[in-house]
Amino acid sequence: MTDTEVAGATLTASGITVEAKGRMILSDVSCAVGPRQILAVTGRSGSGKTTLLAVLAGLLAPMTGSVRFGGAPVVAGDVAHLHRTGVVLQLYGLVGVLTAQENVEVALQARGIGGRTVRSRASHALERVGLTDLSDRLVEQLSGGQRQRVAVARALVVRPGLLLADEPTAELDAANRDRIVVQLRAEADRGAAVVLATHDPEVAARCDAEIHLVDGVVRGHD
């Protein structure tokens, strides 16, 4: 599937319910985000933001409800959906013994992209997040904020039709926070649908729409 084919699609989630160990994590959550839009998912820690993004990514199956992207159903473990989705994990999910450059290249290699394209696209993604000078440094030698930006670069490099970012600015100073928000907006402008979980009201205010979770339920702000 080409970059053009995955851009311009709408993501919809309807009636998502998730329970774990007898506790309701999400209850009847619905949301939608179209191409060229950023949806903010806000709420306190433990409100269900990370779980919702996992369901949208196809990493977790809900007990009830459904997710569709571009009109097609999303099911847990759907490799095709994962390949057209860029994900910024809250704990980054990077390989510490690889360099920043190598961590970004892996995302392309996993999608069958090889040759010189891999290095040039990875280098450009790192440039977008301000890490060109640290591209050859091992991830385990980077600060928390730098690792966070590597994780963002890894999501950007695949040119996703859907971009899911879990607290991608949590460890960043104001300048780097703004840089990352600008890059997420650039992905939306390219045609991606973007969902951003955040605690930061300034970041949420720069999104096109917002849903606020309270104990796994969509509510108004506290």
Side-chain angles (χ1 to χ4, degrees):
M1 184 174 290
T2 68
D3 298 334
T4 301
E5 288 174 321
V6 298
T10 294
L11 174 77
T12 58
S14 303
I16 301 299
T17 298
V18 175
E19 183 179 321
K21 297 180 180 179
R23 174 175 172 262
M24 195 65 69
I25 308 299
L26 295 172
S27 179
D28 195 28
V29 172
S30 297
C31 63
V33 57
R36 299 177 176 82
Q37 294 182 330
I38 303 178
L39 172 68
V41 181
T42 62
R44 297 176 179 175
S45 295
S47 61
K49 301 189 302 297
T50 295
T51 300
L52 177 59
L53 264 62
V55 172
L56 299 180
L59 297 172
L60 176 68
M63 292 175 57
T64 63
S66 63
V67 178
R68 302 182 74 85
F69 183 60
V74 173
V75 296
D78 182 346
V79 174
H81 181 65
L82 289 170
H83 278 185
R84 63 188 175 229
T85 302
V87 182
V88 182
L89 300 171
Q90 192 173 45
L91 298 179
Y92 318 139
L94 303 174
V95 181
V97 296
L98 297 181
T99 66
Q101 176 89 19
E102 290 166 341
N103 268 277
V104 178
E105 290 177 356
V106 163
L108 294 172
Q109 293 162 347
R111 289 162 172 79
I113 301 171
R116 295 181 180 178
T117 299
V118 170
R119 185 154 190 87
S120 63
R121 280 177 60 168
S123 296
H124 178 61
L126 287 166
E127 180 183 2
R128 290 176 66 181
V129 300
L131 287 176
T132 297
D133 292 344
L134 298 176
S135 62
D136 292 329
R137 185 169 297 184
L138 294 177
V139 161
E140 64 186 13
Q141 298 173 331
L142 299 178
S143 69
Q146 290 164 347
R147 294 182 190 189
Q148 190 161 53
R149 284 187 282 155
V150 173
V152 172
R154 186 182 56 187
L156 297 175
V157 77
V158 300
R159 299 173 184 166
L162 174 64
L163 177 55
L164 305 172
D166 194 355
E167 299 285 355
T169 63
E171 297 204 39
L172 304 183
D173 59 25
N176 281 311
R177 177 197 64 189
D178 290 346
R179 180 197 294 269
I180 295 306
V181 173
V182 166
Q183 294 307 322
L184 296 179
R185 174 58 65 185
E187 287 304 293
D189 290 344
R190 185 183 55 79
V194 180
V195 183
L196 166 64
T198 182
H199 282 98
D200 189 334
E202 292 188 27
V203 172
R206 295 168 66 176
C207 297
D208 301 299
E210 177 183 347
I211 63 168
H212 185 68
L213 295 177
V214 177
D215 296 331
V217 179
V218 177
R219 303 286 193 197
H221 281 279
D222 301 336

